Amino acid sequence: MATTYRNQLRDILNLAWQFVRKNGYSMSEALKCAWANFKLKAALKVKVVEFYFKKTDGTLRQAFGTLKANLIGEVKGTGRKPNDNLQVYWDTEKEEYRCFKKFNLIRIA
């Protein structure tokens, strides 16, 4: 149990440092965003979640997504390598996978 908790904290701090280095966030902003991403990922595994993020063109997007296995449709392999900077989720409205940059997460509703 202690090892799992320690690994989760390590992942959160690594993500926060990544936000500081790549995006110029202050450590306070980076930690808030990293914790929000951690909470979103945990919630996506359990249920359908409403959340907001900023798209690359600057507009705000409201999304309803999940990562719960029984709510996801048929998955085809793409052969793509996973990207650590992106959060992937199953869009329940469009019925397909979507993604956004983790540092663009605004809030979880």
Side-chain angles (χ1 to χ4, degrees):
M1 173 99 174
T3 305
T4 305
Y5 180 72
R6 194 175 317 138
N7 289 338
Q8 290 172 344
L9 286 179
R10 185 192 68 222
D11 292 343
I12 291 167
L13 285 173
N14 284 339
L15 186 60
W17 274 113
Q18 187 179 43
F19 292 157
V20 169
R21 285 191 308 270
K22 291 186 178 181
N23 305 320
Y25 284 9
S26 68
M27 192 58 179
S28 173
E29 291 172 326
L31 280 170
K32 287 177 187 175
C33 192
W35 273 106
N37 276 285
F38 176 76
K39 290 176 183 176
L40 175 65
K41 189 174 180 180
L44 284 171
K45 291 178 182 178
V46 177
K47 61 182 179 177
V48 175
V49 182
E50 176 186 4
F51 56 96
Y52 297 86
F53 63 91
K54 186 171 57 170
K55 292 171 43 174
T56 41
D57 64 0
T59 59
L60 189 65
R61 162 104 155 81
Q62 176 188 25
F64 294 92
T66 188
L67 290 175
K68 193 169 181 180
N70 61 350
L71 298 176
I72 296 175
E74 183 180 341
V75 179
K76 300 175 186 173
T78 61
R80 294 178 68 178
K81 190 171 69 169
N83 187 342
D84 292 336
N85 297 327
L86 298 178
Q87 175 61 54
V88 178
Y89 65 96
W90 177 261
D91 192 330
T92 56
E93 295 173 329
K94 298 282 186 177
E95 295 294 323
E96 57 187 31
Y97 277 104
R98 300 284 184 183
C99 65
F100 65 92
K101 293 180 181 176
K102 287 182 179 179
F103 61 86
N104 284 338
L105 179 64
I106 303 296
R107 71 180 179 96
I108 304 167

